Amino acid sequence: MSKVSKAVVVFSGGQDSTTCLIQALNQYDEVHGITFDYGQRHSEEIEVARSLGKRLGLVSHKILDVSMLNELAISALTRDSIEVSNELMENGLPNTFVPGRNILFLTLAGIYAYQLGANSVITGVCETDFSGYPDCRNDFVKAMESALNQGMDRQCEIVTPLMWLNKAETWALADQYKSLELVRDETLTCYNGIIGNGCGTCPACLLRQRGLEDYCNNREQVQSDLASKCQK
């Protein structure tokens, strides 16, 4: 009997994690989701993730309360009193950066994968076309993977399908799985908690919209670029 392939997807209900989830459902026998409630500014994403998880067919979907992160990590995404800004802070990072967030999320997702017997943790972080967060870089992910494998004495790969894709190519990937409209209309990326096209002015919405416009205007070229990257 062949071994059942299992994966855990870090799932926020946004464009990137939903695209990763859709791809995973086509690549693994069992796909489990894990969503984190850390008192985030756009808390509506939790209900969006819950709804999409049911619709897309997750085997299980764990929603964890990690609100202690809100107490420690001061950011525009954890404090309503801090306005989301397009300007960088003095340290060169966006004020939407939540320090330690992906360290915590990947650690907990790795523990969940251990309990499920899954050998893959999938996350939608990206170094090519991102918001400047240091915990979205490939070097960070590889360091976390090494730490988890050493700390739990078990091989588990952190898979990053979007790491080297720009936003247009991420849209192309969703389209490849016949899910562009679902991702466009039903995911929540907006920092102000508006589903679909969002507010249109926050950094997340601007990045998402530019990518969609680029894909729609250069569909064949973007699809070709995506195919070339996927073959590497």
Side-chain angles (χ1 to χ4, degrees):
M1 179 182 293
S2 60
K3 186 177 180 180
V4 174
S5 60
K6 300 180 184 180
V8 171
V9 177
V10 179
F11 185 48
S12 70
Q15 175 193 0
D16 294 342
S17 66
T18 302
T19 301
C20 288
L21 172 57
I22 291 165
Q23 183 184 55
L25 289 165
N26 285 271
Q27 294 180 337
Y28 294 85
D29 298 318
E30 284 187 20
V31 180
H32 304 260
I34 186 166
T35 298
F36 300 101
D37 180 355
Y38 60 98
Q40 55 266 57
R41 183 189 196 103
H42 44 301
S43 57
E44 294 85 354
E45 72 178 27
I46 297 167
E47 292 308 314
V48 171
R50 194 193 308 271
S51 176
L52 285 173
K54 289 180 180 178
R55 175 173 175 177
L56 293 171
L58 283 170
V59 173
S60 71
H61 188 189
K62 185 172 290 294
I63 298 176
L64 286 184
D65 181 349
V66 291
S67 53
M68 73 288 198
L69 181 62
N70 186 286
E71 298 179 23
L72 298 173
I74 298 174
S75 161
L77 295 191
T78 60
R79 299 290 189 277
D80 289 337
S81 59
I82 302 176
E83 185 176 351
V84 174
S85 172
N86 291 313
E87 302 295 326
L88 299 180
M89 297 186 294
E90 290 183 2
N91 61 5
L93 298 176
N95 77 343
T96 52
F97 172 61
V98 182
R101 179 172 59 175
N102 283 341
I103 297 173
L104 179 63
F105 288 4
L106 290 175
T107 298
L108 295 173
I111 296 170
Y112 189 38
Y114 184 100
Q115 298 300 331
L116 294 171
N119 292 108
S120 298
V121 169
I122 301 173
T123 178
V125 299
C126 169
E127 184 171 322
T128 302
D129 198 355
F130 72 133
S131 300
Y133 300 158
D135 59 358
C136 288
R137 297 177 298 188
N138 191 58
D139 285 349
F140 160 75
V141 172
K142 293 305 180 187
M144 280 298 302
E145 180 181 274
S146 176
L148 288 171
N149 289 341
Q150 291 183 58
M152 293 190 284
D153 195 22
R154 181 178 181 274
Q155 290 301 304
C156 182
E157 181 183 14
I158 300 179
V159 182
T160 54
L162 312 183
M163 181 59 73
W164 308 116
L165 305 187
N166 59 39
K167 266 292 181 282
E169 291 161 349
T170 300
W171 283 111
L173 184 60
D175 201 14
Q176 179 177 302
Y177 291 103
K178 313 296 183 187
S179 299
L180 188 146
E181 289 78 14
L182 182 147
V183 173
R184 183 191 64 201
D185 298 336
E186 300 186 36
T187 62
L188 174 55
T189 303
C190 176
Y191 288 152
N192 291 310
I194 302 173
I195 297 172
N197 291 330
C199 68
T201 59
C202 75
C205 285
L206 292 173
L207 183 62
R208 171 180 163 131
Q209 186 59 35
R210 283 196 299 266
L212 181 57
E213 290 174 356
D214 187 15
Y215 177 55
C216 292
N217 292 333
N218 305 282
R219 190 176 298 256
E220 291 186 4
Q221 183 59 55
V222 175
Q223 289 174 343
S224 176
D225 293 342
L226 173 64
S228 177
K229 288 183 179 181
C230 290
Q231 289 172 359
K232 294 181 180 179

